[in-house]
Amino acid sequence: AIASERLVELLGGKGKVAIMQGVPTAPNHRIRYEAHKAVFAKYPGIELVAEGIDNDDIETAQKQAASILAAHPDLKGFVSCDAAGPIGIGLAIKEAGKTGKVLSVGLDNLNQLLALIKEGVVESSSSTKPEMQGAWSVMALWMQALGQPTPKKIDTGILIITKDSLK
């Protein structure tokens, strides 16, 4: 919801948007997809006009995004449900010459995505801090090996990555 709320804010609450699903059967991708739809439904000026499925593959995301951009020349924004989506979307936006005309708010912090943010092709990304997820997994296993109680829930937080914050 953080990414879609950010996109709505950047668009001033008005415009046609699209969602790039990841793998529809992946629970985390499905939850993100439903959250994006719920956010967009709250804003009467936002119209969800297209949805793609990239199956967490950059090339598929690029092809799906290119098709959506061609079918909706007045599209104003894109959000993604997986890490491959915003990279493919960014490549399609760049290829279509729509940098700055179609805003993309991505997910996670892969190097290819960070490069697209630095270029200004992708506006921003909400990163679930995957490196912290790995670090806490190791820490919890170590605690368990020592016979210590482990946390039932660990919130690593969300980092909003923008061109300015990458400086």
Side-chain angles (χ1 to χ4, degrees):
I2 291 169
S4 44
E5 287 285 0
R6 180 170 176 80
L7 183 59
V8 169
E9 181 181 331
L10 291 166
L11 295 175
K14 296 177 185 161
K16 294 181 179 182
V17 298
I19 299 172
M20 183 66 70
Q21 296 182 51
V23 178
T25 56
N28 55 332
H29 295 185
R30 172 60 55 186
I31 290 167
R32 292 174 191 148
Y33 167 71
E34 295 296 338
H36 291 317
K37 283 182 66 172
V39 167
F40 293 149
K42 293 187 319 186
Y43 296 94
I46 296 293
E47 182 183 356
L48 177 59
V49 296
E51 300 175 22
I53 297 174
D54 65 30
N55 289 308
D56 213 359
D57 178 75
I58 294 170
E59 186 177 327
T60 303
Q62 184 176 2
K63 288 177 183 175
Q64 290 279 311
S67 176
I68 290 169
L69 289 166
H72 301 279
D74 54 350
L75 188 76
K76 296 296 180 197
F78 248 116
V79 291
S80 312
C81 299
D82 63 326
I87 297 168
I89 292 166
L91 294 172
I93 288 171
K94 193 173 174 180
E95 185 177 82
K98 295 206 172 216
T99 299
K101 296 176 184 141
V102 176
L103 299 178
S104 175
V105 178
L107 179 73
D108 280 334
N109 63 354
L110 299 177
N111 288 336
Q112 290 168 285
L113 177 57
L114 298 180
L116 290 166
I117 292 171
K118 282 180 188 176
E119 284 182 62
V121 177
V122 174
E123 196 282 328
S124 60
S125 182
S126 54
S127 175
T128 57
K129 301 181 188 176
E131 63 280 352
M132 291 303 299
Q133 294 169 9
W136 273 106
S137 297
V138 171
M139 181 64 77
L141 288 170
W142 180 62
M143 292 169 70
Q144 189 176 42
L146 294 175
Q148 299 297 314
T150 57
K152 299 288 181 219
K153 182 178 178 182
I154 299 170
D155 182 355
T156 60
I158 301 288
L159 177 65
I160 303 298
I161 302 169
T162 65
K163 190 175 184 177
D164 288 340
S165 71
L166 286 173
K167 291 177 186 174

